[in-house]
Amino acid sequence: MLDLLVWLLLAGIGALVVRRTRLPWAAAGVWLNLLWFCYHNEIGSGWVGYMRGLGLAFMLAATQRQYGCCWALTPWPLLMRLGFNLSAFVLYLPPWGDGLMAGALVYLLVGWMRR
């Protein structure tokens, strides 16, 4: 539950920064991704929560056609921590897929509610 509240707080901060400074979402997304990574690395629930939240944000950015933000929301901090060892990264793909599916579900539910 705390992860959801932190994710909503970061999304709100990102929206406020984008609105006030007129930065593109891609630039704000890089910093939000890094903050999300630091939160999960230090006090959060770990890598699973990081990847799920990142997958959710990635899917929502893709459905809003924010392709620069999608590139910013790739798991680059985790890849850097793993030393770009892609064979070790394979273990983190299932939680990322969970987040992508949750993002698709949110997108479909919002689209259904608009009709």
Side-chain angles (χ1 to χ4, degrees), residues 19-38:
R19 181 173 292 156
R20 296 228 185 230
T21 63
R22 299 182 192 265
L23 279 174
W25 268 105
V30 170
W31 292 104
L32 291 173
N33 185 4
L34 187 60
L35 288 173
W36 185 247
F37 175 77
C38 290

Side-chain angles (χ1 to χ4, degrees), residues 19-64:
R19 181 173 292 156
R20 296 228 185 230
T21 63
R22 299 182 192 265
L23 279 174
W25 268 105
V30 170
W31 292 104
L32 291 173
N33 185 4
L34 187 60
L35 288 173
W36 185 247
F37 175 77
C38 290
Y39 162 72
H40 274 287
N41 195 23
E42 297 298 325
I43 56 176
S45 62
W47 301 107
V48 174
Y50 168 72
M51 292 301 283
R52 283 183 181 154
L54 199 63
L56 177 71
F58 182 88
M59 180 57 77
L60 293 178
T63 57
Q64 296 298 320

Side-chain angles (χ1 to χ4, degrees), residues 46-48 50-52 75 78 82 85 87-97:
W47 301 107
V48 174
Y50 168 72
M51 292 301 283
R52 283 183 181 154
L78 180 60
L82 293 173
N85 184 0
S87 62
F89 181 70
V90 171
L91 299 173
Y92 299 101
L93 288 178
W96 197 27

Side-chain angles (χ1 to χ4, degrees), residues 66-79:
Q66 297 286 333
Y67 303 119
C69 192
C70 289
W71 279 106
L73 291 174
T74 57
W76 59 268
L78 180 60
L79 284 171

